Amino acid sequence: MKQTYIQSSFKDYEDIPGFDIYQRATAHQGYLHYLKDNNFMNYRLLATSGCGADINLAEDGYIKEGNYISFVCNDYLGFTQHPEVKKAAISSIEKYGTGAGASPLIGGYFEFHKELEDKISTFFKRPLGSAITYTTGYTANSASLLSLLKKDDIAIVDMAVHASVYEGILGTTTKRFLHNNTEALEQILSVAQDKYRTKMVIVDGVYSQDGDLAKLKEILEITHRYGGVLLVDDAHGIGVIGKTGRGAMEFFNILEKVDIITGTFSKTFGNVGGYLVADPELITYLQFQSRQYAFSAAATPIVAGVNKAIDLIDEEPHWQEKLWENIEYYRKGLQDIGLNIGITESAIIPVKIGNIQKNSEAGKLLLENGIYTNPIMYPAVSMKDSRIRMSLMATHTRAQLDKALNVFEYVNKKLDIAKPI
Ligand code: PMP
């Protein structure tokens, strides 16, 4: 049985023919035991301090209680711990309490929500009324897409888009194109031409596993040439990419031309929630037609922290500068060891290992030596693409990065993890 577990992944337990929910849960439990017994259980580790460049973990199996250098937090600019962001969230709680009490359509729409929508519209250089917020970044994609795209429409998606997009396009016709392959995209659009009411092309700005950027300029040109609508989810680009932190769209100088932008408050903005930016009429449509928005309670007053985080992107650009110093230093350090970091152009840094077993061993050895990373395996990436995934932060110190690089050198000596490029 153990032999089979080695090649297993969580995906294998999503649906097992003939198994009812309890039998499936039992089979799943067996897999979790295998992970735990072999010290590969790097999921749901219990943290006893806040999100940041270092973090305290509770004791759990082979994991010792203590402080770890952390590369698992997507709080790229460190705003979850910024005093001004905390202050904004606390004063909002003091003024409004801890909850919104209703969905936005029936009593749960407060001035801090409106202020946030206005700030997002302005941040993306659109007229007021161009933004809707959701209570997660996930639903900013899934719930809005479920509402916008029906079976007579088509979603044309880069195969590497986030799971939330895949969920959102379950009710529409779907075509996937090879990652960042603009010829494949054009081929699909040319065949789709007059067959669908809306042709929506959906890409990420920064891809969450390889950290590479979409070829946005070409994608926008092709999409518009064939009468399509472009949606860019730049969850990992905002605050990180572009001269003023407006993401991959700013980097490619197309910020004002993208039809629909989605993103999250859970990364650079140091909170939880998500947003969609588009033509104001489309925003109003979603306010009334998007079921998750209309039938679910609005964000808590804590979301006012995002208002301050948005300001800080312009007011304190040194965080983005520090982040890039860290990215360049760390990337070079990993490459000097001989490790394969792929084609990243962002704060997401993978160390590509390939072999699933070695990848798990590497994650464990890193953790044993005080470095907390995310070992990523199928189905998040393909079978041969296992990697250690890391998010860099502006608040990582040079000493922390040096310690992590030393541990990587040690892990490479022990496991020979340098995958050919
Ligand atoms: N889009 C992308 C590209 C993501 O990586 C994520 C989550 N990591 C989301 C959307 C969902 O955002 P959230 O975690 O805020 O729900």
Side-chain angles (χ1 to χ4, degrees), residues 159-200:
M159 61 191 289
V161 291
H162 190 255
S164 51
V165 169
Y166 280 111
E167 186 160 325
I169 58 178
L170 286 175
T172 186
T173 315
T174 300
K175 289 267 182 226
R176 301 192 319 161
F177 60 95
L178 277 178
H179 178 50
N180 245 340
N181 186 324
T182 47
E183 280 154 29
L185 167 64
E186 180 156 6
Q187 210 166 41
I188 297 172
L189 274 166
S190 70
V191 173
Q193 260 193 22
D194 300 319
K195 296 198 189 118
Y196 302 92
R197 302 175 306 187
T198 302
K199 299 180 284 283
M200 191 183 289

Side-chain angles (χ1 to χ4, degrees), residues 136-138 141 162 164 204 206 208 233 235-236 264-267 273:
T136 68
Y138 192 99
N141 282 329
H162 190 255
S164 51
D204 285 359
V206 172
S208 59
D233 170 3
H236 295 275
T264 175
F265 300 144
S266 69
K267 305 188 195 306

Side-chain angles (χ1 to χ4, degrees), residues 15-152:
D15 193 5
I16 307 175
F19 278 38
D20 71 15
I21 53 173
Y22 300 105
Q23 291 165 323
R24 220 192 302 156
T26 304
H28 180 256
Q29 197 70 29
Y31 178 54
L32 288 185
H33 280 309
Y34 156 77
L35 291 177
K36 196 132 197 166
D37 293 348
N38 288 278
N39 295 335
F40 293 154
M41 187 57 188
N42 271 8
Y43 307 99
R44 281 179 65 85
L45 304 190
L46 184 65
T48 52
S49 65
C51 153
D54 65 331
I55 203 163
N56 286 321
L57 293 181
E59 186 179 344
D60 186 6
Y62 80 101
I63 295 155
K64 292 197 194 76
E65 190 272 326
N67 190 254
Y68 291 76
I69 299 171
S70 169
F71 292 94
V72 300
C73 190
N74 299 313
D75 174 21
Y76 298 118
L77 301 181
F79 286 173
T80 61
Q81 307 300 336
H82 193 295
E84 293 291 322
V85 175
K86 287 186 184 177
K87 203 164 107 193
I90 291 166
S91 4
S92 180
I93 291 181
E94 276 167 357
K95 181 163 178 196
Y96 299 101
T98 55
S103 72
L105 292 189
I106 54 165
Y109 184 50
F110 291 87
E111 53 192 349
F112 60 86
H113 292 125
K114 169 146 175 43
E115 192 191 329
L116 181 56
E117 290 164 359
D118 289 351
K119 264 199 198 293
I120 294 166
S121 297
T122 309
F123 181 79
F124 286 106
K125 304 188 188 305
R126 311 278 167 129
L128 296 184
S130 301
I132 180 172
T133 63
Y134 283 86
T135 47
T136 68
Y138 192 99
T139 44
N141 282 329
S142 63
S144 60
L145 287 169
L146 277 169
S147 158
L148 293 176
L149 299 177
K150 307 295 181 189
K151 77 175 172 18
D152 292 338

Side-chain angles (χ1 to χ4, degrees), residues 2 24 73 82 89 137 157 204 218 223 231 286 306 336 372 374:
K2 276 203 166 170
R24 220 192 302 156
C73 190
H82 193 295
V157 304
D204 285 359
E218 293 96 311
T223 303
L231 183 152
L286 287 171
V306 177
D336 286 348
Y372 184 14
N374 277 320

